[in-house]
Amino acid sequence: MGAMGDRTAVMLLMLLLSSWCLTAVTGYRGRGARGGGEEEEGGGSGRRFVLEESEEVVKAEGGEVRVVRGFGIGGRPAPMHIGFITMEPKTLFIPQYLDSSLILFVHRGEARIGWIYEDNMVERRLKMGDIIHIAAGSTFYMVNTGKGQRLQIICSIDTSESLGLGPYQSFFIGGGTYPSSVLAGFDIETLTAAFNVTTEEMDTILGARIRGPIIFYSDRAADQSRLLASCMQWKQLHKKGSLDFNDVADDEGGGEVQQEENKRWTLRNFLANLLGGQFYDRRKGKKQSPDHAPDAYNLYDRDPDFRNNHGWSIALDEGNYAPLGINDIGVYLVKLTAGSMMLPHVNPTATEYGIVLGGSAIIHLVYPNGTAAMKAEVSEGDVFMIPRYFPFCQIASLSGPFEFFGFTTSARRNRPQFLVGASSILRTMLGPELAAGFGVTEEELRKVVEAQKDAVIVASWTLPKIRGKGEDEPLLIRRMADV
Ligand SMILES: *[C@@H]1O[C@H](CO)[C@@H](O)[C@H](O)[C@H]1NC(C)=O
Ligand SMILES: *[C@@H]1O[C@H](CO)[C@@H](O)[C@H](O)[C@H]1NC(C)=O
């Protein structure tokens, strides 16, 4: 989020004391109202649905976490917040669990993430474009493995399971003086009894000097210890002669074929361990790693669901990637070429949160009563919200392509309803009833509705057509003449 960083510099910084372990810094940018607010300056000119305010919830030597809070319509709670995690090279986000489920998207860099999945510890290596789900209450850590590269992650923070304390609440498992581990909340007597250690031994782990939740960390040690562990595991299996590592053979009986199969699986397991807990061929198929935790899903490996000369779009639902169904969240990615427009459309089943990854665009949003709710320019780092049912469109600026990524509040297949264009509902419903609904003849309506030959994403840089009074000159020229 380069642009976000720049903005941070000009932001008014306010120090807040957070409840128990973090010093939180809240930044304000722009003049947006918290949670969308009620204030509105002149209908379509406001930025009501651009979420201007980001809070710095973690600030450490090794990186930061900022959260942009979503808001609900009609007094309902926000379905999700959007988080931005930035980690410097060679850093570790120490083990913690949250009161919110996350869907992480690797915007830039590479990471290794480990978490508890159904009582097992699993690990995945993540690269740019990967998506992965971490359940609320599941302890996880994250390591920036990119060589000299910053790690940037954008995530949805599902609020449905949250305690309602801040945008989300961390419970650190690791920790020391800052942040402190949740373990530190117990009496020392309780801990020494529970751990069966002496007070001194207990102090060695609780008195550690951790400098914030994101710390500098050399990954090499971890790789070496994993290598060692894998080798030991491998040796042990051979010694025991038992190859029923994992539950590969649970239904079918022994047999030589099965033994061979097991051997192969174990070897794969071994290699998988070496490679950081996943198969080297994960991109080829949907096959899951032997630990049964889902692999990451790479958005950039997917063919666009829609594509034409003016841009493309990808929409990921639970049918494509099952973990999205757990918290009922969809993921999408859209790229518009310079000057292209995503035609006016409606999301009938979900509210959409968008994060601008590159370029700039104008977003038009319309109220149910047919007035403009917003017409705002957004650029890299901006977060916007499109309420369910509200018609909207995006027009990329002429200066370059516009790319945005986001989350929707439904994991079911979202069928956007286009109001305009070759695949629009106006086209599909074109007939005497629709014409009567506009108070025109069918022929008159047809002339307007069928003029656009393209669908979904179209060129918008042609100058607006002006009709009547014998005038056919472009709007731009006319305006200049007026001045
Ligand atoms: C507690 O630790 C002692 C050694 O320090 C050991 O002998 C004992 O078995 C341990 N008890 C339990 C229940 O693990
Ligand atoms: C349309 O609806 C919006 C939002 O409810 C409201 O703020 C606005 O005043 C309405 N405009 C008209 C002309 O009724």
Side-chain angles (χ1 to χ4, degrees), residues 102-174:
L102 306 178
I103 290 173
L104 304 171
F105 165 71
V106 181
H107 178 33
R108 290 201 183 99
E110 287 169 19
R112 180 162 57 78
I113 181 162
W115 76 104
I116 302 294
Y117 182 85
E118 292 176 357
D119 299 335
N120 292 314
M121 140 101 194
V122 297
E123 245 188 4
R124 295 287 183 269
R125 283 194 180 265
L126 304 178
K127 62 176 195 295
M128 210 170 112
D130 274 349
I131 292 212
I132 203 148
H133 173 264
I134 302 292
S138 164
T139 300
F140 70 99
Y141 61 79
M142 211 153 41
V143 178
N144 179 355
T145 51
K147 296 211 165 40
Q149 204 180 2
R150 236 186 214 176
L151 173 65
Q152 293 182 332
I153 286 179
I154 301 173
C155 61
S156 65
I157 302 169
D158 182 60
T159 56
S160 62
E161 298 153 296
S162 97
L163 296 169
L165 313 164
Y168 71 85
Q169 185 66 65
S170 288
F171 296 79
F172 288 101
I173 297 295

Side-chain angles (χ1 to χ4, degrees), residues 192-198 201:
T192 50
F195 278 92
N196 187 26
V197 294
T198 63
E201 284 167 323

Side-chain angles (χ1 to χ4, degrees), residues 237-474:
L237 284 166
H238 267 279
K239 219 186 279 167
K240 277 199 301 188
S242 81
L243 291 159
D244 55 355
F245 187 68
N246 257 296
D247 47 353
V248 197
D250 37 27
D251 34 15
E252 289 152 278
E256 264 177 45
V257 181
Q258 195 58 45
Q259 287 265 320
E260 269 311 300
E261 186 73 355
N262 286 352
K263 234 181 239 167
R264 223 171 34 239
W265 273 86
T266 317
L267 180 61
R268 293 183 83 186
N269 238 316
F270 169 67
L271 288 170
N273 259 332
L274 280 188
L275 297 173
Q278 72 190 151
F279 284 165
Y280 38 86
D281 64 346
R282 77 179 157 103
R283 284 175 60 180
K284 281 197 184 141
K286 289 193 171 166
K287 193 175 280 175
Q288 291 186 345
S289 304
D291 56 35
H292 298 295
D295 282 335
Y297 188 103
N298 195 278
L299 265 192
Y300 295 126
D301 283 352
R302 184 178 167 83
D303 287 329
D305 299 291
F306 175 85
R307 159 174 255 153
N308 68 12
N309 287 338
H310 311 292
W312 51 260
S313 70
I314 286 175
L316 210 61
D317 57 43
E318 60 185 335
N320 311 118
Y321 187 49
L324 295 178
I326 300 167
N327 295 101
D328 206 16
I329 286 174
V331 170
Y332 69 90
L333 179 67
V334 176
K335 189 155 188 173
L336 307 179
T337 60
S340 291
M341 176 195 321
M342 189 157 224
L343 288 166
H345 63 291
V346 176
N347 288 323
T349 58
T351 290
E352 171 176 320
Y353 286 79
I355 300 105
V356 181
L357 301 182
S360 63
I362 304 277
I363 296 182
H364 292 246
L365 185 66
V366 171
Y367 280 131
N369 62 13
T371 61
M374 182 178 83
K375 182 177 171 185
E377 182 168 356
V378 292
S379 52
E380 189 179 329
D382 278 338
V383 180
F384 55 89
M385 186 191 91
I386 307 291
R388 183 177 177 179
Y389 312 120
F390 280 37
F392 68 110
C393 74
Q394 298 99 335
I395 304 170
S397 78
L398 280 171
S399 58
F402 176 63
E403 188 177 5
F404 63 106
F405 159 86
F407 302 99
T408 65
T409 57
S410 167
R412 280 171 299 151
R413 197 161 158 212
N414 181 32
R415 294 178 192 276
Q417 306 278 296
F418 280 84
L419 302 177
V420 187
S423 62
S424 63
I425 55 170
L426 287 194
R427 192 72 75 91
T428 311
M429 204 176 255
L430 189 58
E433 298 83 3
L434 190 64
F438 278 105
V440 294
T441 66
E442 202 179 326
E443 197 188 334
E444 284 170 318
L445 185 63
R446 188 175 298 277
K447 213 165 157 186
V448 174
V449 168
E450 291 187 344
Q452 177 59 262
K453 300 292 185 289
D454 284 338
V456 182
I457 306 173
V458 303
S460 77
W461 39 266
T462 47
L463 291 166
K465 294 189 179 84
I466 306 284
R467 288 262 168 71
K469 299 198 175 158
E471 224 173 348
D472 221 337
E473 56 185 326

Side-chain angles (χ1 to χ4, degrees), residues 2-273:
M4 276 199 115
D6 293 342
R7 285 196 191 98
T8 314
V10 291
M11 264 193 255
L12 173 65
L13 291 174
M14 249 182 92
L15 272 173
L16 285 179
L17 248 172
S18 95
S19 49
W20 50 292
C21 64
L22 299 175
T23 303
V25 181
T26 306
Y28 294 89
R29 109 173 122 81
R31 43 191 166 80
R34 156 169 285 213
E38 301 308 315
E39 70 190 52
E40 184 64 47
E41 330 96 29
S45 62
R47 291 172 65 84
R48 183 174 180 183
F49 296 89
V50 178
L51 309 174
E52 311 257 24
E53 196 178 284
S54 80
E55 298 165 51
E56 198 164 60
V57 291
V58 169
K59 176 72 179 166
E61 276 178 349
E64 62 167 29
V65 178
R66 308 187 68 86
V67 174
V68 173
R69 292 198 199 213
F71 64 92
I73 300 279
R76 283 201 213 104
M80 72 173 81
H81 306 308
I82 305 294
F84 296 89
I85 303 169
T86 307
M87 289 169 63
E88 298 300 325
K90 293 200 172 119
T91 52
L92 165 74
F93 207 146
I94 67 171
Q96 62 181 310
Y97 61 90
L98 309 183
D99 64 343
S100 302
S101 294
L102 306 178
I103 290 173
L104 304 171
F105 165 71
V106 181
H107 178 33
R108 290 201 183 99
E110 287 169 19
R112 180 162 57 78
I113 181 162
W115 76 104
I116 302 294
Y117 182 85
E118 292 176 357
D119 299 335
N120 292 314
M121 140 101 194
V122 297
E123 245 188 4
R124 295 287 183 269
R125 283 194 180 265
L126 304 178
K127 62 176 195 295
M128 210 170 112
D130 274 349
I131 292 212
I132 203 148
H133 173 264
I134 302 292
S138 164
T139 300
F140 70 99
Y141 61 79
M142 211 153 41
V143 178
N144 179 355
T145 51
K147 296 211 165 40
Q149 204 180 2
R150 236 186 214 176
L151 173 65
Q152 293 182 332
I153 286 179
I154 301 173
C155 61
S156 65
I157 302 169
D158 182 60
T159 56
S160 62
E161 298 153 296
S162 97
L163 296 169
L165 313 164
Y168 71 85
Q169 185 66 65
S170 288
F171 296 79
F172 288 101
I173 297 295
T177 44
Y178 162 70
S180 86
S181 162
V182 287
L183 288 171
F186 295 99
D187 299 337
I188 192 72
E189 293 80 21
T190 308
L191 289 174
T192 50
F195 278 92
N196 187 26
V197 294
T198 63
T199 309
E200 291 70 40
E201 284 167 323
M202 204 60 231
D203 281 345
T204 55
I205 73 161
L206 290 182
R209 296 200 162 268
I210 294 289
R211 304 182 69 171
I214 304 174
I215 54 172
F216 286 99
Y217 172 76
S218 166
D219 202 25
R220 205 182 305 142
D223 282 343
Q224 276 166 355
S225 71
R226 187 176 19 258
L227 179 70
L228 201 67
S230 296
C231 286
M232 278 163 58
Q233 226 167 23
W234 182 238
K235 260 195 205 141
Q236 210 172 5
L237 284 166
H238 267 279
K239 219 186 279 167
K240 277 199 301 188
S242 81
L243 291 159
D244 55 355
F245 187 68
N246 257 296
D247 47 353
V248 197
D250 37 27
D251 34 15
E252 289 152 278
E256 264 177 45
V257 181
Q258 195 58 45
Q259 287 265 320
E260 269 311 300
E261 186 73 355
N262 286 352
K263 234 181 239 167
R264 223 171 34 239
W265 273 86
T266 317
L267 180 61
R268 293 183 83 186
N269 238 316
F270 169 67
L271 288 170
N273 259 332

